[in-house]
Amino acid sequence: MANSENQMDKHLQSAIFGAPVLHPDEQHRNLGTFHERIDVGITFTQALMRDYSTELKSEMAAHPDYQLLLHGLLDEDILNRYVKLANQQHIRFAIRNDLMYQHTPTSLAIALVANCAITPPTIDIDERFPVPPLNTTTDWSHDVLIDHIHRHLERNRQLFSIKHHLI
């Protein structure tokens, strides 16, 4: 009797709160997947600062069975660029729009993932594919640039909320 009550309680909890998720904080940071399944990741800050199409293309060619995950709050031109790349490389992709996925300058905006654990030494695209420094200078300090990115992300968050009638 106690066993069937236990099962009924679990069933009711699932119906009310949804199916339990293993490591939900990790999945919210990593676009719904586990860290050990990520081959390479790009943060919002990185995605706004440069185009990583060449690097992703080489990883996609090496791993045609991987999937590209994209955060739905990416700028439309950036999102379209990587969707087009995934289509050209015949790689599955998914755009994650749920508000549970983190949207901060350091959270993942783009991830190339496997369907099982691969645990690469690093998932940071800049560490895996270092770019030599440019000889140009900018008038913006690092802090001003990060502040600019924060404001940009906040504006995207507000536009998303308005577009989807969340406020």
Side-chain angles (χ1 to χ4, degrees), residues 76-87:
E76 199 169 323
D77 60 325
I78 296 172
L79 195 63
N80 290 339
R81 175 187 321 141
Y82 293 112
V83 166
K84 182 178 177 183
L85 178 65
N87 282 327

Side-chain angles (χ1 to χ4, degrees), residues 96-166:
R96 302 293 168 95
N97 286 317
D98 201 313
L99 292 176
M100 72 177 170
Y101 300 121
Q102 292 180 3
H103 182 245
T104 65
T106 58
S107 59
L108 284 183
I110 303 165
L112 187 63
V113 302
N115 60 0
C116 62
I118 54 172
T119 317
T122 180
I123 67 165
D124 187 306
I125 195 158
D126 287 334
E127 290 179 26
R128 291 270 292 281
F129 300 94
V131 175
L134 297 174
N135 291 333
T136 61
T137 59
T138 179
D139 295 336
W140 291 17
S141 72
H142 181 265
D143 292 336
V144 171
L145 185 60
I146 295 299
D147 185 53
H148 179 73
I149 290 169
H150 274 287
R151 286 194 310 265
H152 181 81
L153 291 174
E154 183 57 36
R155 191 182 89 241
N156 278 2
R157 200 176 294 128
Q158 290 171 354
L159 291 173
F160 182 84
S161 296
I162 291 168
K163 182 178 176 181
H164 295 285
H165 310 290
L166 300 173

Side-chain angles (χ1 to χ4, degrees), residues 48-69:
L48 291 170
M49 294 190 62
R50 85 179 184 96
D51 179 7
Y52 291 96
S53 296
T54 304
E55 293 83 355
L56 280 177
K57 186 176 181 179
S58 70
E59 282 298 299
M60 289 174 178
H63 308 286
D65 56 326
Y66 285 7
Q67 179 179 19
L68 187 66
L69 300 178

